[in-house]
């Protein structure tokens, strides 16, 4: 039986911990044990159709083009290295991902 998605979130297990993630313009990740703690990653995503008539105003390209569970795991590992505590309550950590590098957004 395929588990039902929670509000569009997909399940990922890494290091014996459960996380839920979704792509909604940015990537949102939250640990299962504390769903009020959120990690948001801006990787520069934009909809190409928004710039179909104005290609000169299109932002610089973004990577990766396809979001995989392996990339989500990489995000979680880097966020924890940057100080994301999955046990905090009501916290939002915002990161950017550009040129294969994660940075904390203020």
């Amino acid at each position: 039986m395929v588990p039902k998605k929670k509000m569009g979130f997909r399940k990922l297990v890494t290091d014996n911990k459960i996380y839920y993630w979704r792509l909604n313009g940015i990537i949102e990740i939250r640990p299962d044990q504390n769903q009020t703690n959120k990690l948001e990653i801006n990787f520069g995503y934009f909809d190409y159709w928004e710039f179909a008539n104005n290609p000169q105003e299109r932002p610089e390209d973004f990577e990766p083009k396809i979001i995989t569970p392996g990339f989500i795991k990489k995000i979680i590992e880097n966020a924890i290295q940057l100080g994301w505590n999955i046990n905090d309550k009501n916290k939002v950590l915002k990161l950017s991902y550009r040129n294969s590098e994660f940075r904390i957004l203020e």
Side-chain angles (χ1 to χ4, degrees), residues 69-79 97 100 102:
F71 182 64
I72 300 300
K73 181 179 178 182
K74 181 179 174 181
I75 292 171
I76 293 168
E77 291 168 350
N78 279 278
Y97 180 75
S100 300
F102 291 95

Side-chain angles (χ1 to χ4, degrees), residues 82-93:
L82 291 170
W84 185 42
N85 183 348
I86 63 172
N87 297 313
D88 285 348
K89 293 187 186 263
N90 300 322
K91 183 176 180 183
V92 176
L93 177 63

Side-chain angles (χ1 to χ4, degrees), residues 7 58 74 83:
M7 298 184 305
R58 189 171 72 197
K74 181 179 174 181

Side-chain angles (χ1 to χ4, degrees), residues 3 12 15-16 18-19 32 54 64 67 70 78 94 97 102 106:
L12 176 79
D15 294 329
N16 295 320
I18 299 171
Y19 297 89
D32 184 47
N54 242 346
I67 305 300
N78 279 278
K94 296 181 179 188
Y97 180 75
F102 291 95
E106 307 278 339

Side-chain angles (χ1 to χ4, degrees), residues 21-96:
W21 69 277
R22 71 178 170 187
L23 175 61
N24 190 19
I26 60 169
I27 300 169
E28 299 175 46
I29 302 172
R30 60 186 193 191
D32 184 47
Q33 79 267 16
N34 191 358
Q35 294 184 3
T36 60
N37 185 347
K38 197 165 42 166
L39 177 61
E40 296 179 351
I41 300 87
N42 180 335
F43 64 104
Y45 172 81
F46 62 90
D47 187 347
Y48 284 97
W49 284 107
E50 290 180 27
F51 301 96
N53 294 328
N54 242 346
Q56 65 274 13
E57 291 186 21
R58 189 171 72 197
E60 68 179 63
D61 217 3
F62 58 90
E63 287 293 328
K65 297 288 187 225
I66 299 173
I67 305 300
T68 63
F71 182 64
I72 300 300
K73 181 179 178 182
K74 181 179 174 181
I75 292 171
I76 293 168
E77 291 168 350
N78 279 278
I80 290 171
Q81 284 182 337
L82 291 170
W84 185 42
N85 183 348
I86 63 172
N87 297 313
D88 285 348
K89 293 187 186 263
N90 300 322
K91 183 176 180 183
V92 176
L93 177 63
K94 296 181 179 188
L95 299 178
S96 70

